[in-house]
Amino acid sequence: MEIKSATFVVSNSDPSKCPDTGLPEYAFIGRSNVGKSSLINMLTNNKSLAKTSVRPGKTQLINHFLINKQWYLVDLPGYGYARVSKTYRAEWQKMINKYLLQRETLMNTFVLIDSRLEPQRIDLEFISMLGRNGIPLSIVFTKVDKQNQSSTALNVNAFKKALSEEWEELPTMFITSSVSGTGRSKLLDYIDSINQHQNTKE
Ligand code: GDP
């Protein structure tokens, strides 16, 4: 898919106030610092669409970006900040759950995982929660330019193994780098194929 336009639409803390145009949307979420903003900017060919390295715990908002006037890319607030209050955590949980469970136009959630790390419990638990609730998801391994292919493969395989304990069929996975652009076309084509499928259903 070619990105012809990418524009910021709205930031919300209340999922019920998200755009009601009915366009399909794709959410991106992950641990703080996983590379989410960089990935969004890389995917949309825009250096500053998503704000990189915002202060931890500062922006607890759901951000909608309209892509090609056809679908929304949704930047969700991350989890796993080291120094945030219990109140922040509880509010995050409430907002995210409400969004994920009630957003009818949500086609897929991309869960970002730092390819340099061994499987982390917080990520596995989040993925498990999505699975339990029947929310479609894919895994996006980030920052693969930071290490050699075999190190990435080691962590990806360990992640697959950890998921296999709970999942019969593994979710779709993408290997990405915001620096080199690795994985960009595969991920965008994946979104495109879901959009096409939506169109033929209507
Ligand atoms: P966010 O908190 O998940 O939005 O993460 P950011 O996009 O702000 O990235 C966190 C840090 O990782 C920043 O210093 C980025 O420059 C760096 N980073 C993000 N993605 C990549 C990548 O693909 N390759 C490399 N080398 N660095 C990255």
Side-chain angles (χ1 to χ4, degrees):
M1 180 194 339
E2 197 191 327
I3 301 294
K4 294 181 194 128
S5 63
T7 49
F8 169 75
V9 181
V10 67
S11 287
N12 257 308
S13 59
D14 181 355
S16 63
K17 294 195 180 128
C18 289
D20 61 357
T21 55
L23 289 175
E25 67 190 44
Y26 298 83
F28 289 75
I29 193 164
R31 235 147 52 101
S32 61
N33 223 34
V34 69
K36 178 166 54 80
S37 312
S38 306
L39 182 86
I40 291 171
N41 292 340
M42 179 273 265
L43 290 173
T44 55
N45 271 337
N46 188 316
K47 283 199 186 76
S48 56
L49 196 63
K51 302 279 180 292
T52 50
S53 304
V54 283
R55 250 193 302 152
K58 185 81 174 35
T59 48
Q60 202 196 1
L61 294 170
I62 300 170
N63 301 303
H64 275 71
F65 301 102
L66 181 62
I67 313 296
N68 292 350
K69 299 184 180 149
Q70 284 172 337
W71 56 277
Y72 292 113
L73 188 160
V74 183
D75 182 4
L76 294 177
Y79 50 85
Y81 287 103
R83 271 179 243 131
V84 296
S85 65
K86 273 195 181 155
T87 319
Y88 175 90
R89 248 181 264 266
E91 277 173 16
W92 177 88
Q93 190 92 46
K94 212 169 111 190
M95 178 172 76
I96 291 295
N97 282 355
K98 188 172 175 194
Y99 171 82
L100 292 170
L101 298 175
Q102 296 181 4
R103 191 72 177 152
E104 285 177 9
T105 48
L106 178 63
M107 297 294 125
N108 194 47
T109 299
F110 292 94
V111 182
L112 276 57
I113 305 290
D114 191 325
S115 67
R116 298 169 301 169
L117 303 179
E118 288 174 6
Q120 305 285 304
R121 204 171 69 168
I122 192 167
D123 294 321
L124 294 169
E125 282 176 358
F126 184 75
I127 292 167
S128 186
M129 183 278 287
L130 293 177
R132 274 199 310 276
N133 288 292
I135 298 161
L137 73 117
S138 310
I139 311 281
V140 180
F141 292 97
T142 61
K143 308 188 187 181
V144 296
D145 63 282
K146 285 206 173 209
Q147 62 186 357
N148 59 35
Q149 278 183 9
S150 55
S151 304
T152 297
L154 216 60
N155 289 334
V156 169
N157 285 334
F159 207 89
K160 284 183 181 165
K161 192 160 170 246
L163 286 182
S164 306
E165 286 170 18
E166 214 175 313
W167 295 69
E168 263 174 47
E169 199 183 324
L170 291 177
T172 309
M173 299 191 181
F174 299 92
I175 303 287
T176 69
S177 160
S178 301
V179 169
S180 69
T182 302
R184 180 176 185 272
S185 50
K186 279 203 179 126
L187 206 156
L188 289 176
D189 286 350
Y190 185 72
I191 292 176
D192 201 27
S193 67
I194 300 175
N195 284 341
Q196 301 293 341
H197 185 68
Q198 277 303 110
N199 289 339
T200 51
K201 270 203 307 197
E202 278 160 13

